[in-house]
């Protein structure tokens, strides 16, 4: 070696991860190094440019930024950057500039990848530096998405325009014209807190058209008679994604923004659209305008396109699951509206339940239908059941036409067993918790994730509270649920390599739902039941589990990242299949993933494996009998 190369060799050898390299590999890296000098303030790499080198700081200081411009890291002698772009997509993901006059070693992409692929200790160190690679990947995804970071108040451009509920429709129209707005917040006096008006409703241009002009009412009609009461609102400090979900869930186009119980302003659909280019709001609107099952089925390509756009635009798993659930929920609600229009009013009140992934807001594009019916305790099977069976059949057949396949296990409201009065559901759930059997535990894993989508939805909330109350502290039931959660293990072999299917249609593939997201949601559910959490979504449950401090430090965040990454791999493969014109499923072939994705997926499965070991330790399922 020349003197300059000896100096580089000695420097690299004294810093991780180069100190783990064999002598020959370190010599190879040293021979390939290009030395460059950057002045203070000089840009080293720009976001999106081709990734050609791995950068090691010899002297000076470098600042690395997120794509949003916020500082991500500050590096000094021995620090390195640029590995993420080399390992994935081949584009710079984190721009960097010299904070001080700096000397930088540049290692070519081909040399770095060779070191990474052929030296496990080197690769492992690069992967876990700055906590874990999964945490880095998930953090970058979160920080890059304005829907998850920007708050609702950033969309408010003017103060809310209000009007008293005794005002006339004419006065409302004049006020809207004067102020140049398309909606008014209708308020009333607050007898408890003078000076703090109560929000009574919202009046929009559409309300004036459909509730005043179309029926031919006089212009002096009080606004209270034509406004929309029971207003859906958002808090000023909620993120924009939550506002989008509120619009999706309730099919509304205006949301009052509240701060300290006062209306701060109103955000409209158009305010969200510039952030939400995936058109899920438009898809939901089209669903509610469909006049029959044929028109709903015709929207399937739009639903699929919405899904593929979200994946392509790097939306998070939580966002995709929530948006696709809102679409599926809207389909179910519209089918119920159409069914009631055809069958007539229900003989007794009822609540149509979503179960499983729809209840958890975790649906992707490949899903079946799990649902059930709660009927009023006055339900008489002889008099009433024919109507409810016809309703369930109408909805189930419609869902199947829209891509939500029939449940092979028969967990559908068309099954006589799953159309029951509220008191029967209460008794069933109590029995499942207090006297668990193998069959009832399987049911609990499905039915304990329930949400009301139509009718008396408060009954579903009542059952969830009852489940949380009875399960918390019931060590025998929790041990039984833990034992069930351990039945499906991650697909890792003795040497932490992937275990794939050896026969059948998906040879050399992994069912990533059955061996990945499924076991994770199962064990998260056990922890949630243990702390009495009322949350449904697995990510929301994990936040409450972390706050309850029942896991070792850092384990909850690891599980959060693992669920996010495994779900995104599953979503991306499904989106790729759709784009290729194939029928998507839950099979993933590891060999078709990039090296980066394989290693990250292995890490996520290792987190799942460790989480299952802790579940076994905490709840001791072997002692459940």
């Amino acid at each position: 070696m020349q003197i300059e190369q000896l100096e580089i060799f000695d420097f690299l050898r004294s810093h991780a991860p180069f100190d783990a390299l064999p002598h020959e590999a370190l010599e190879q890296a040293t021979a390939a190094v290009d030395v460059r000098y950057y002045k203070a303030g000089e840009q080293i790499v720009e976001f999106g440019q081709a990734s050609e080198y791995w950068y090691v700081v010899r002297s000076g200081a470098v600042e690395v930024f997120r794509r949003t411009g916020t500082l991500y890291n500050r590096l000094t002698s021995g620090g390195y950057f640029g590995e993420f772009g080399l390992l994935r997509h081949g584009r710079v993901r984190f721009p960097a500039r010299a904070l001080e006059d700096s000397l930088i070693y540049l290692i070519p992409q081909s040399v770095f990848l060779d070191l990474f692929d052929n030296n496990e200790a080197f690769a492992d160190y690069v992967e876990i530096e700055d906590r874990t690679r999964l945490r880095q990947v998930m953090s970058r995804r979160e920080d890059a998405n304005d829907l998850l970071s920007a708050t609702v108040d950033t969309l408010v451009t003017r103060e809310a325009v209000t009007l008293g509920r005794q005002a006339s429709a004419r006065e409302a129209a004049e006020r809207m014209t004067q102020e140049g707005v398309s909606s008014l917040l209708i308020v009333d006096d607050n007898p408890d807190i003078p000076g703090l008006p109560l929000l009574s409703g919202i009046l929009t241009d559409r309300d004036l058209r459909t509730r005043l002009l179309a029926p031919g009412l006089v212009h002096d009609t009080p606004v209270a008679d034509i406004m929309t009461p029971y207003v859906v609102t958002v808090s000023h400090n909620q993120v924009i994604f939550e506002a989008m979900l509120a619009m999706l869930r309730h099919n509304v186009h205006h949301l009052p923004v509240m701060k300290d119980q006062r209306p701060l302003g109103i955000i409209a659909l158009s305010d969200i659209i510039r952030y939400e280019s995936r058109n899920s709001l438009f898809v939901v609107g089209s669903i509610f305008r469909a006049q029959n099952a044929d028109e709903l089925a015709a929207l399937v390509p739009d639903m699929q396109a919405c899904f593929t756009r979200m994946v392509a635009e790097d939306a998070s798993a939580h966002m995709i699951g929530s948006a696709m659930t809102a679409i599926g929920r809207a389909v179910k609600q519209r089918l119920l509206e159409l069914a009631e229009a055809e069958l007539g009013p229900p003989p007794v009140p009822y609540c149509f339940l979503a179960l499983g992934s729809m209840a958890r807001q975790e649906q992707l594009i490949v899903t079946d239908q799990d649902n059930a019916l709660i009927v009023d305790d006055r339900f008489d099977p002889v008099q009433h059941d024919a109507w409810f069976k016809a309703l369930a059949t109408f909805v189930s057949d419609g869902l199947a036409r829209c891509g939500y396949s029939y449940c092979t296990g028969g967990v559908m409201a068309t099954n006589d067993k799953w159309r029951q009065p509220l008191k029967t559901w209460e008794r069933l759930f109590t029995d499942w918790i207090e006297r668990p059997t193998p069959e009832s535990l399987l049911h609990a894993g499905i039915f304990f994730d329930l949400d009301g989508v139509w009718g008396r939805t408060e009954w579903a909330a009542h059952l969830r509270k009852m489940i949380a109350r009875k399960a918390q502290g019931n060590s025998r039931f929790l041990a039984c649920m833990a034992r069930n959660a351990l039945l499906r293990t991650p697909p890792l072999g003795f040497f932490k390599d992937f275990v794939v299917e050896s026969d059948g249609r998906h040879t050399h593939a992994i069912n990533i739902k059955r061996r990945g997201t499924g076991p994770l949601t199962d064990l998260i559910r056990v922890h949630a039941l243990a702390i009495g959490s009322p949350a449904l979504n697995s990510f929301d449950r994990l936040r409450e589990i972390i706050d309850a401090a029942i896991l070792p430090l850092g384990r909850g965040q690891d599980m959060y990242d693992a669920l996010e990454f495994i779900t995104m791999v599953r979503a991306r493969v499904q989106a790729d299949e759709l784009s290729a014109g194939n029928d998507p499923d839950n099979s993933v072939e590891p060999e078709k993933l990039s090296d980066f994705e394989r290693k990250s997926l292995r890490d996520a499965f290792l987190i799942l494996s460790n989480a299952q070991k802790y579940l076994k330790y905490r709840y001791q399922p072997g002692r459940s009998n």
Side-chain angles (χ1 to χ4, degrees):
M1 285 188 197
Q2 299 178 356
I3 294 177
E4 294 84 359
Q5 288 182 327
L6 284 173
E7 182 182 352
I8 295 172
F9 182 94
D10 288 339
F11 176 83
L12 295 180
R13 184 175 56 182
S14 64
H15 291 84
F18 300 95
D19 57 358
L21 289 174
H23 189 276
E24 297 77 13
L26 187 56
E27 283 188 338
Q28 174 197 3
T30 299
V33 165
D34 182 14
V35 183
R36 295 190 188 178
Y37 174 80
Y38 294 89
K39 293 182 179 180
E42 185 177 357
Q43 197 74 22
I44 301 173
V45 288
E46 299 275 3
F47 174 77
Q49 76 178 60
S51 293
E52 299 177 286
Y53 298 99
W54 190 43
Y55 300 84
V56 182
V57 181
R58 175 64 176 87
S59 62
V62 171
E63 287 184 329
V64 181
F65 298 88
R66 295 181 173 89
R67 64 190 296 178
T68 56
T70 58
L71 182 66
Y72 172 70
N73 204 355
R74 184 171 288 125
L75 305 170
T76 55
S77 182
Y80 53 83
F81 61 98
E83 63 274 7
F84 185 76
L86 296 174
L87 291 169
R88 189 174 184 223
H89 299 315
R91 295 287 174 182
V92 171
R93 309 297 291 176
F94 286 75
R97 71 165 176 251
L99 179 63
E100 304 171 358
D101 291 350
S102 301
L103 198 64
I104 309 292
Y105 291 160
L106 280 63
I107 298 177
Q109 179 186 40
S110 59
V111 176
F112 169 79
L113 293 177
D114 184 68
L115 294 174
F116 189 90
D117 291 338
N118 297 305
N119 299 275
E120 187 173 351
F122 176 93
D124 286 343
Y125 193 96
V126 171
E127 289 170 354
I128 66 173
E129 191 271 340
D130 192 16
R131 291 182 291 175
T132 67
R133 184 187 61 243
L134 269 182
R135 179 80 296 264
Q136 292 181 44
V137 174
M138 296 305 107
S139 177
R140 286 190 283 265
R141 181 183 293 276
E142 293 159 5
D143 291 334
N145 202 305
D146 289 334
L147 275 168
L148 287 177
S149 57
T151 52
V152 169
D153 54 7
T154 61
L155 300 180
V156 177
T157 57
R158 61 171 298 166
E159 293 183 0
V161 181
T162 62
L163 192 67
R165 62 180 289 123
Q166 302 304 322
S168 68
R170 182 192 300 276
E171 291 173 311
E174 291 173 349
R175 184 72 184 278
M176 292 166 75
T177 302
Q178 293 168 359
E179 298 287 346
V181 296
S182 61
S183 61
L184 295 173
L185 294 184
I186 309 304
V187 296
D188 200 3
D189 293 335
N190 190 335
D192 298 323
I193 309 176
L196 181 63
L198 290 173
L199 182 60
S200 296
I202 186 170
L203 183 73
T204 67
D205 282 339
R206 183 178 181 182
D207 293 328
L208 289 172
R209 294 195 309 271
T210 60
R211 297 175 181 174
L212 181 78
L213 298 178
L217 299 182
V218 298
H219 293 177
D220 290 335
T221 300
V223 292
D225 293 348
I226 59 173
M227 70 180 184
T228 299
Y230 312 112
V231 187
V232 179
T233 66
V234 290
S235 175
H236 72 103
N237 56 3
Q238 289 182 266
V239 296
I240 293 172
F241 173 59
E242 292 175 309
M244 185 194 83
L245 286 185
M247 286 186 173
L248 283 170
R249 189 176 181 91
H250 301 283
N251 192 32
V252 296
H253 293 174
H254 296 82
L255 282 178
V257 179
M258 308 297 289
K259 182 177 182 180
D260 299 328
Q261 302 182 57
R262 296 177 182 273
L264 182 67
I266 300 176
I267 59 173
L269 173 65
S270 57
D271 298 316
I272 302 288
I273 292 303
R274 65 190 179 95
Y275 283 92
E276 206 278 308
S277 61
R278 290 164 290 278
N279 295 330
S280 50
L281 288 161
F282 289 120
V283 173
V284 168
S286 299
I287 289 168
F288 282 110
R289 288 191 297 271
Q291 296 302 305
N292 50 55
D294 289 338
E295 292 186 13
L296 283 173
L299 293 172
V300 170
D302 292 338
M303 301 177 202
Q304 294 176 339
C306 175
F307 174 76
T308 55
R309 279 194 296 271
M310 281 190 283
V311 175
E313 294 175 12
D314 281 338
S316 71
H318 192 185
M319 289 172 59
I320 294 173
S322 298
M324 296 310 296
T325 295
I327 288 173
R329 184 185 177 93
V331 170
K332 190 171 290 186
Q333 290 171 335
R334 185 57 182 146
L335 284 168
L336 285 158
E337 284 182 328
L338 293 171
E340 288 191 11
E342 181 174 303
L343 299 172
V348 293
Y350 72 98
C351 172
F352 202 94
L353 293 176
L355 307 171
S357 61
M358 177 177 283
R360 295 194 306 272
Q361 299 183 42
E362 295 169 14
Q363 281 196 322
L364 297 184
I365 201 64
V366 178
T367 185
D368 59 3
Q369 47 174 292
D370 291 337
N371 51 65
L373 265 171
I374 307 174
V375 290
D376 190 271
D377 286 339
R378 293 169 293 173
F379 173 74
D380 181 341
V382 175
Q383 297 183 42
H384 306 146
D385 196 46
W387 190 95
F388 286 107
K389 187 162 188 173
L391 176 87
T393 300
F394 185 101
V395 174
S396 185
D397 290 346
L399 287 172
R401 293 190 60 193
C402 294
Y404 302 91
S405 59
Y406 297 110
C407 175
T408 56
V411 182
M412 296 178 291
T414 51
N415 187 334
D416 296 349
K417 188 176 182 179
W418 306 128
R419 297 191 305 275
Q420 299 292 343
L422 178 60
K423 61 184 178 184
T424 302
W425 286 111
E426 291 173 337
R427 185 176 67 251
L428 278 172
F429 287 0
T430 299
D431 287 344
W432 293 353
I433 294 171
E434 296 179 356
R435 289 172 289 277
T437 66
E439 182 183 13
S440 70
L441 289 168
L442 291 175
H443 292 327
I446 300 171
F447 286 86
F448 283 8
D449 295 342
L450 79 160
D451 191 25
V453 299
W454 188 258
R456 300 292 295 273
T457 55
E458 67 271 18
W459 291 347
H462 163 73
L463 289 176
R464 285 199 305 271
K465 291 177 182 177
M466 189 193 80
I467 292 166
R469 184 178 68 253
K470 289 183 177 291
Q472 186 178 16
N474 190 322
S475 58
R476 181 169 180 262
F477 172 71
L478 293 173
C480 289
M481 288 292 287
R483 182 174 60 194
N484 268 27
L486 298 173
L487 295 177
R488 297 185 291 182
T489 57
L492 293 175
F494 184 77
F495 294 104
K496 303 297 186 275
D497 53 337
F498 294 114
V499 177
V500 297
E501 303 291 337
S502 58
D503 55 19
R505 188 164 66 95
H506 296 294
T507 304
H508 308 306
I510 296 167
N511 187 313
I512 201 167
K513 178 181 179 181
R514 185 169 63 239
R515 304 292 298 277
T517 54
L520 256 176
T521 55
D522 286 347
L523 67 88
I524 291 168
R525 184 188 302 109
V526 176
H527 290 309
L529 289 169
I531 63 172
S533 168
L536 279 170
N537 181 264
S538 294
F539 294 105
D540 293 338
R541 286 172 170 172
L542 272 172
R543 292 189 186 96
E544 296 194 9
I545 291 165
I546 292 169
D547 291 342
I550 65 170
L551 301 177
L553 187 64
R555 292 283 185 89
Q557 184 64 60
D558 287 346
M559 289 163 60
Y560 192 104
D561 294 338
L563 180 60
E564 172 73 25
F565 190 82
I566 296 172
T567 304
M568 285 312 305
V569 171
R570 180 183 167 206
R572 187 184 62 76
V573 171
Q574 290 181 2
D576 288 346
E577 289 295 307
L578 279 175
S579 298
N582 301 324
D583 292 331
D585 54 30
N586 292 305
S587 296
V588 172
E589 296 184 39
E591 291 307 312
K592 291 186 178 180
L593 302 177
S594 69
D595 184 71
F596 172 84
E597 288 175 315
R598 284 196 302 274
K599 290 180 180 295
S600 296
L601 191 58
R602 182 197 63 187
D603 289 347
F605 285 146
L606 283 172
I607 289 172
L608 169 56
S609 179
N610 290 331
Q612 288 186 328
K613 291 175 184 175
Y614 183 75
L615 191 79
K616 186 175 182 180
Y617 160 77
R618 181 175 179 84
Y619 301 102
Q620 300 186 15
R623 301 182 184 180
S624 59
N625 294 326

